[in-house]
């Protein structure tokens, strides 16, 4: 199948169809009328070595965002490819989502492992922290974590936007004179 173009609304419908978790209801409330287009490349032929492009498309599908930071995506790709069953979950989840979005009925819903992986990937994108019981916890990103998107224009990202190097050495300005 060639590349497909899809909307966030269709993505949410597909996630619910494949049993990707309870988050889909909150997504549906927010994106029910959203027609933002996201591109999805053809499904991978090699389940052992999904490409960075496939991983980036899976991330876009899971987060419903097409503006994810490229460098952060590359860091996550390296971490998730090294994870036990990581390549298989990336390829399997993407292939099922891709076929569901392309109008083909997937052979099965997401497996328990794939469903767990999708929520694991979403958590990592939102928090910027990678958690896995068989791997050390690590910070993938701070400033590109999706949890900051809601306040990005309203408040600085703590310790990133509001302070420069050495700023902590100066007493804070007081508004109370």
């Amino acid at each position: 199948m060639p590349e497909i173009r899809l909307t966030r609304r269709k993505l949410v419908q597909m996630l619910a169809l494949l049993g990707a978790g309870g988050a889909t209801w909150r997504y549906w409330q927010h994106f029910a009328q959203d027609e933002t287009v996201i591109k999805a490349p053809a499904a991978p032929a090699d389940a052992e070595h999904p490409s960075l492009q496939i991983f980036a498309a899976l991330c876009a599908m899971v987060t419903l965002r097409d503006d994810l930071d490229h460098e952060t995506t590359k860091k996550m790709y390296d971490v998730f490819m090294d994870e036990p069953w990581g390549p298989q979950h990336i390829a399997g989840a993407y292939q099922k989502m891709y076929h569901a979005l392309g109008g083909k009925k997937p052979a099965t819903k997401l497996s328990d492992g794939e469903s767990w992986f999708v929520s694991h990937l979403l958590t990592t994108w939102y928090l910027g922290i990678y958690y896995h019981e068989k791997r050390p916890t690590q910070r993938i990103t701070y400033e590109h974590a999706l949890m900051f998107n809601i306040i990005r224009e309203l408040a600085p990202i703590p310790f990133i936007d509001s302070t420069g190097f050495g700023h902590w050495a100066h007493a804070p300005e007081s508004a109370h004179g």
Side-chain angles (χ1 to χ4, degrees):
M1 277 179 100
E3 176 180 275
I4 55 175
R5 297 171 57 85
L6 47 119
T7 64
R8 286 181 179 159
R9 186 172 132 220
K10 184 156 173 109
L11 276 169
V12 173
Q13 289 171 330
M14 177 271 310
L15 288 170
L17 174 73
L18 294 178
T24 55
W25 174 247
R26 293 194 60 71
Y27 275 153
W28 182 254
Q29 290 174 318
H30 188 71
F31 294 117
Q33 304 304 317
D34 193 319
E35 296 295 329
T36 301
V37 174
I38 296 175
K39 295 178 186 176
D46 185 2
E48 296 297 318
H49 305 292
S51 67
L52 175 60
Q53 182 185 21
I54 293 298
F55 180 75
L58 177 64
C59 291
M61 287 179 179
V62 169
T63 62
L64 302 176
R65 298 177 186 278
D66 60 349
D67 59 350
L68 298 171
D69 180 65
H70 184 67
E71 290 301 313
T72 303
T73 304
K74 284 173 38 180
K75 287 180 194 176
M76 284 193 190
Y77 175 73
D78 292 338
V79 170
F80 283 104
M81 286 296 288
D82 187 47
E83 183 177 284
W85 298 99
Q88 293 86 355
H89 288 322
I90 293 167
Y94 184 79
Q95 191 164 27
K96 288 175 185 173
M97 290 179 184
Y98 179 83
H99 287 300
L101 290 165
K104 290 185 177 179
K105 186 173 172 122
T108 59
K109 289 186 175 189
L110 294 176
S111 69
D112 289 343
E114 292 164 345
S115 185
W116 171 85
F117 182 83
V118 166
S119 68
H120 174 49
L121 181 62
L122 186 61
T123 299
T124 304
W125 267 110
Y126 269 89
L127 300 180
I129 309 290
Y130 173 82
Y131 297 101
H132 192 282
E133 65 183 24
K134 297 185 183 198
R135 299 277 190 256
T137 298
Q138 57 184 297
R139 180 177 68 126
I140 304 290
T141 186
Y142 188 68
E143 60 273 15
H144 297 292
L146 296 179
M147 68 180 172
F148 293 118
N149 276 358
I150 291 175
I151 63 165
R152 192 163 309 278
E153 301 300 322
L154 302 174
I157 297 171
F159 306 111
I160 298 289
D161 292 339
S162 60
T163 59
F165 180 78
H167 184 73
W168 56 86
H170 305 290
E173 295 180 20
S174 174
H176 301 291

